[in-house]
Amino acid sequence: MPVTRTLPTDEARALLDLTREITAREIVPRAAADEAAGRFPREVFGTLGAAGLLSLPYAEEFGGGEQPYEVYLQVLEELAAGWLAVGLGVSVHTLACHPLATFGTPEQRAAHLPTMLSGDLLGAYCLSEPHSGSDAAALSTKAVAAADEYVLTGTKAWITHGGVADFYTVLARTSPEGSRGISAFLVDAGTPGLSAAVPEHKMGMRSSPTAQIHLDGARVPAERRIGAEGQGFPIALAALDCGRLGIAACATGVAQAALDLASDYAKNRSQFGGPIADKQGIRFMLADMATAIEAGRALYLSAARLRDAGLPFGRQAAMAKLFCTDAAMRVTIDAVQILGGYGYTTDFPAERYLREAKCLQIVEGTNQIQRMVIARDLLLHG
């Protein structure tokens, strides 16, 4: 049964119906085979772009859907429930567009956003480096000003869509002044000097390429700097607050898919003269799983509504990312347990959901970092 949702408009309800239709028709049937083969489903993103689902939170004048985050995140949840490689891919593309959409000049937005939001292009977000992950302010990739351009040199790591993206939002150091010396750039994938390493070999999310991006004297026009020189770190943090909500929604989608699978299996698997769903131990597990999912969904939607109202939401975004991804880990472990031996095989997607959930506890700030963010904000602002 579809998740019961409270949506603000008829248009939002139509968007969710369209998302479910595309997910059932275009995404779910290919997920298992493509994951096993490590195939990146680029054409799916074109389909989503043509349907208007790749640009939902951005302004209509640039080809966006102008939808509140409350709606966008629920679309993301439905996509992730069908296949996390797609749901997370949409979240990362949205993250890559955020700096330009929020901090770009009117001329920059008019020149670049329409093609970025159309579905013709796919984006990636380049903040982390091999020796600068959680400590993002320690990044060392350099951007040296030269006449009317910048020359970028360094290596970015753990880049979702690395090697398949059409544009990269890159954070690079323009001065040695710590977090105040970082600037943001919009870099075309075809820029000479930009190359991608061989994708990482991962335990999950095999259809979503993750690779290092090498910048070896890549020349980027000065008009592609986003915001002021030295403004890159706050731009990055603002994008990550939004991105964490995307990860929370994706985690809720994966958990919901695992619960649906486990519930269906429990109703149809017979042991000791009846379905295992009649056993109190199984019923209690399913009840705890469902409760955790509902709590996570309520938490990410509450944070989204703060954002939509123009109120501070960074602490709540970190809470949502923390809670929803931890909940997804517990739910997927229990789903494997309910399926028993079958849960440990690739005949059912429970094991894939478990591997995907682990990734979500790490990306866009580990859950240990989320706890630091929450505590810092709590102690500063009460």
Side-chain angles (χ1 to χ4, degrees), residues 109-313:
R109 293 196 295 268
H112 303 297
L113 264 185
T115 51
M116 291 166 64
L117 300 179
S118 67
D120 295 333
L121 303 182
L122 190 65
Y125 185 77
C126 299
L127 176 60
S128 293
E129 297 182 1
H131 303 289
S132 169
S134 297
D135 185 9
L139 66 84
S140 60
T141 294
K142 291 183 180 179
V144 178
D148 58 351
E149 61 186 8
Y150 287 84
V151 181
L152 274 59
T153 302
T155 297
K156 293 296 179 177
W158 308 111
I159 307 306
T160 301
H161 298 159
V164 299
D166 299 292
F167 67 88
Y168 296 88
T169 297
V170 178
L171 282 300
R173 183 164 298 287
T174 46
S175 85
E177 299 178 68
S179 63
R180 293 187 296 275
I182 296 169
S183 302
F185 300 89
L186 180 65
V187 185
D188 279 339
T191 301
L194 185 152
S195 63
V198 174
E200 306 288 350
H201 299 286
K202 300 176 296 183
M203 68 182 286
M205 291 285 289
R206 293 168 182 163
S207 287
S208 176
T210 304
Q212 290 189 352
I213 296 297
H214 301 305
L215 298 154
D216 184 11
R219 294 181 175 273
V220 179
E223 73 88 20
R224 283 178 169 259
R225 190 193 69 221
I226 303 169
E229 194 168 285
Q231 194 184 2
F233 197 66
I235 288 174
L237 295 184
L240 285 176
D241 281 343
C242 297
R244 285 165 182 163
L245 290 182
I247 298 302
C250 285
T252 302
V254 172
Q256 184 68 54
L259 173 62
D260 292 345
L261 173 65
S263 298
D264 185 65
Y265 184 87
K267 288 185 286 187
N268 290 285
R269 172 66 168 170
S270 182
Q271 292 283 280
F272 303 104
I276 64 172
D278 289 346
K279 313 304 179 187
Q280 188 179 68
I282 298 296
R283 288 185 170 220
F284 281 8
M285 289 175 73
L286 292 171
D288 287 345
M289 293 159 75
T291 300
I293 291 167
E294 290 290 347
R297 183 176 292 121
L299 186 56
Y300 88 64
L301 285 174
S302 175
R305 289 169 186 138
L306 287 176
R307 183 193 185 282
D308 291 336
L311 298 171
F313 69 99

Side-chain angles (χ1 to χ4, degrees), residues 10 18 30 43 49 72 76 236 272 323:
D10 289 340
L18 175 62
R30 61 183 293 174
E43 64 274 20
Y72 155 67
L76 207 57
F272 303 104
F323 184 89

Side-chain angles (χ1 to χ4, degrees), residues 2-73:
V3 173
T4 300
R5 300 186 184 279
T6 301
L7 294 161
T9 62
D10 289 340
E11 183 182 10
R13 283 184 282 275
L15 282 170
L16 265 294
D17 288 342
L18 175 62
T19 303
R20 288 169 176 153
E21 177 189 331
I22 292 175
T23 300
R25 185 182 72 242
E26 305 283 347
I27 295 174
V28 171
R30 61 183 293 174
D34 281 5
E35 277 292 325
R39 283 190 295 265
F40 177 62
R42 177 55 192 265
E43 64 274 20
V44 171
F45 293 95
T47 299
L48 295 174
L53 298 178
L54 204 60
S55 58
L56 287 176
Y58 295 120
E60 198 170 40
E61 67 176 301
F62 301 117
E66 204 145 338
Q67 290 295 314
Y69 247 62
E70 174 188 3
V71 173
Y72 155 67
L73 292 176

